[in-house]
């Protein structure tokens, strides 16, 4: 399969996609852009899968390989351990964590009645981001 | 008499990390540096060295790959310039590959990240050996796990190694000279 990546054409899709604010047909440009992104992601994931297979064939204990500009690492993510039997873990090996979360129902009632937030609770500054999804 | 600086990875690494006193102590062998972990590491190294010599293969724990003409504990030196000599002892060299064997908790990746394999590649190249890559095999004797990392020893990596050696050697050599430590501590 021959893949030709014309970055200028891809950039055009992005530029033309801005017209979605003017005409609904412009969504076709964004759909094409998303399709290209999906295909590239598939190819990238396939490349990672093939690299993993090849690495483990060469050495089942493979951890990394690096060149001048690329480093490929093979590692686990997430917590290394978990508690599987709550009552039997030695006490000195666990930390008890108390987690607080906002009772939004109570909070909304308070705001309605008082027109402001109670002391001790603030609104987080959340940055807005654009996301583009294809509707099913 | 002009003092000459014998650069090795371990001394320069201590210097580069800011542990100047350790670097000086190591350079002049002022203290015996050994911990139980280091002694255990030496024991494993000796076993692996013997295995490679007798079997012409990597130790089974590292895959047991056949080797062509392995040279273990390969000691190399090279006079880089009139005041600077680079030295190193490579765990195993075979057909363009540097093999380094490690024990303990630090991953093979962390060893592959540092300059040691690149410096060994540089020493090999300067001594007219073929050098393509380095492989760091690590055995964690505490949890019995093994991992390994590869480094391509390209001309860019060799240049990086040379720059690193020259930079830190020059710093340390100047420090030793300015503080008269060659004369004081060589005794």
């Amino acid at each position: 399969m021959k893949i030709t990546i014309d970055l200028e054409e891809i950039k055009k899709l992005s530029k033309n996609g801005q017209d979605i604010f003017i005409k609904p047909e412009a969504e076709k440009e964004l759909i094409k852009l998303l399709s290209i992104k999906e295909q590239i992601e598939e190819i990238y994931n396939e490349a990672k899968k093939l690299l993993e297979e090849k690495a483990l064939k060469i050495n089942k204990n493979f951890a990394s390989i690096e060149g001048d500009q690329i480093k490929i690492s093979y590692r686990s993510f997430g917590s290394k351990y978990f508690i599987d039997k709550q009552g039997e873990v030695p006490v000195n090996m666990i930390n008890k964590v108390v987690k607080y979360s906002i009772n939004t129902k109570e909070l909304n009632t308070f705001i309605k009645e008082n027109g402001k937030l109670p002391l001790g609770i603030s609104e987080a500054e959340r940055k807005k981001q654009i996301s583009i999804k294809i509707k099913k | 008499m002009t003092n000459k600086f014998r650069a090795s990875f371990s001394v320069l690494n201590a210097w580069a990390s800011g542990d100047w006193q350790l670097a000086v102590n190591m350079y002049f062998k002022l203290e015996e540096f050994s911990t139980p972990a280091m002694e255990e590491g030496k024991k494993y190294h000796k076993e692996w060295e013997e295995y490679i010599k007798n079997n012409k293969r990597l130790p089974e724990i590292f895959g047991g790959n056949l080797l062509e003409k392995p040279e273990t504990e390969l000691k190399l030196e090279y006079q880089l310039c009139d005041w600077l000599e680079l030295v190193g002892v490579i765990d195993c060299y075979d057909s363009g590959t540097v093999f380094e064997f490690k024990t303990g908790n630090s991953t093979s990746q962390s060893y592959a990240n540092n300059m040691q394999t690149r410096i060994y590649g540089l020493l090999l190249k300067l001594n007219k050996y073929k050098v393509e890559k380095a492989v760091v095999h690590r055995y964690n004797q505490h949890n019995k796990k093994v991992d390994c990392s590869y480094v391509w020893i390209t001309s860019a990596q060799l240049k990086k190694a040379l720059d690193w050696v020259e930079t830190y050697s020059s710093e340390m050599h100047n420090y030793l000279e300015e503080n008269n430590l060659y004369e004081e501590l060589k005794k």
Side-chain angles (χ1 to χ4, degrees):
Chain A
M1 179 184 73
K2 190 176 168 185
I3 301 168
T4 309
I5 300 175
D6 185 336
L7 287 176
E8 289 309 315
E9 283 301 313
I10 293 172
K11 280 180 190 168
K12 259 192 213 162
L13 291 174
S14 163
K15 193 162 175 274
N16 296 342
Q18 315 296 309
D19 288 344
I20 195 166
F21 294 108
I22 303 164
K23 52 187 175 179
E25 308 83 71
E27 71 171 14
K28 290 196 181 73
E29 308 296 297
L30 293 173
I31 289 170
K32 271 190 223 161
L33 186 60
L34 282 177
S35 170
I36 291 170
K37 178 179 177 264
E38 211 177 282
Q39 287 177 71
I40 291 179
E41 265 172 15
E42 259 178 52
I43 294 166
Y44 173 67
N45 289 333
E46 182 66 18
K48 287 204 292 184
K49 190 169 153 236
L50 291 172
L51 280 167
E52 182 183 0
E53 281 170 13
K54 180 90 187 200
L56 293 175
K57 249 192 217 156
I58 292 170
N59 194 311
K60 65 180 176 27
N61 300 313
F62 171 77
S64 72
I65 182 166
E66 53 185 287
D68 286 338
Q69 294 182 77
I70 290 262
K71 180 172 176 173
I72 297 165
S73 302
Y74 187 52
R75 53 183 280 253
S76 317
F77 292 85
S79 297
K80 194 169 175 185
Y81 304 106
F82 66 94
I83 298 169
D84 61 5
K85 280 180 187 166
Q86 191 90 29
E88 296 177 20
V89 184
V91 179
N92 59 323
M93 285 184 199
I94 48 174
N95 294 319
K96 200 169 170 180
V97 173
V98 175
K99 190 181 169 186
Y100 292 102
S101 63
I102 306 269
N103 182 332
T104 35
K105 192 173 169 197
E106 287 291 325
L107 179 63
N108 288 337
T109 306
F110 183 93
I111 293 170
K112 208 169 161 182
E113 288 168 4
N114 296 275
K116 61 179 181 179
L117 285 167
L119 205 60
I121 294 181
S122 302
E123 187 166 345
E125 274 191 40
R126 298 178 301 163
K127 197 170 183 305
K128 290 193 179 175
Q129 293 181 26
I130 291 271
S131 67
I132 311 170
K133 278 192 178 143
I134 296 185
K135 286 157 68 171
K136 292 200 163 82
Chain B
M1 187 182 82
T2 317
N3 292 307
K4 281 190 185 177
F5 185 80
R6 269 173 74 84
S8 66
F9 167 72
S10 47
V11 167
L12 291 182
N13 197 43
W15 185 266
S17 308
D19 203 337
W20 304 324
Q21 192 58 61
L22 176 64
V24 170
N25 290 350
M26 285 171 79
Y27 187 83
F28 291 106
K29 298 183 180 22
L30 297 179
E31 286 171 16
E32 276 296 316
F33 294 101
S34 195
T35 61
M38 284 167 74
E39 289 306 310
E40 202 177 11
K42 283 180 193 166
K43 187 196 93 181
Y44 280 109
H45 264 81
K46 197 77 200 141
E47 270 175 35
W48 294 330
E49 186 196 343
E50 288 306 311
Y51 184 90
I52 292 170
K53 276 195 211 161
N54 296 333
N55 299 281
K56 304 247 182 304
R57 307 180 157 263
L58 286 179
E60 291 300 327
I61 205 160
F62 297 138
N65 304 42
L66 267 173
L67 300 169
E68 280 186 41
K69 254 173 84 175
E71 294 177 69
T72 57
E73 297 298 304
L74 176 59
K75 184 170 178 180
L76 294 172
E77 299 173 344
Y78 193 82
Q79 194 76 35
L80 286 167
C81 57
D82 59 353
W83 63 270
L84 176 59
E85 186 177 40
L86 181 62
V87 302
V89 181
I90 299 171
D91 285 349
C92 178
Y93 168 79
D94 183 60
S95 311
T97 303
V98 171
F99 291 98
E100 272 298 298
F101 305 118
K102 303 289 181 192
T103 53
N105 291 322
S106 296
T107 62
S108 58
Q109 267 204 64
S110 65
Y111 289 110
N113 279 342
N114 72 29
M115 294 305 294
Q116 187 178 29
T117 51
R118 292 153 179 86
I119 287 171
Y120 287 166
L122 178 64
L123 268 170
L124 285 161
K125 190 84 179 167
L126 292 168
N127 282 280
K128 309 269 187 272
Y129 284 77
K130 174 177 125 178
V131 59
E132 286 177 346
K133 66 181 184 292
V135 187
V136 180
H137 287 283
R138 189 265 309 215
Y139 173 60
N140 185 336
Q141 66 273 32
H142 309 298
N143 63 14
K144 313 275 185 269
K145 289 196 174 168
V146 183
D147 58 49
C148 85
S149 294
Y150 298 77
V151 181
W152 286 110
I153 307 292
T154 61
S155 48
Q157 297 305 312
L158 294 175
K159 182 173 184 315
K160 208 169 149 184
L162 183 59
D163 289 344
W164 191 88
V165 168
E166 285 177 343
T167 300
Y168 291 113
S169 296
S170 167
E171 268 184 33
M172 191 170 168
H173 176 64
N174 286 340
Y175 174 81
L176 296 179
E177 288 217 310
E178 280 165 17
N179 291 280
N180 219 31
L181 294 179
Y182 280 113
E183 282 66 40
E184 277 182 31
L185 297 177
K186 253 184 190 160
K187 300 167 202 165

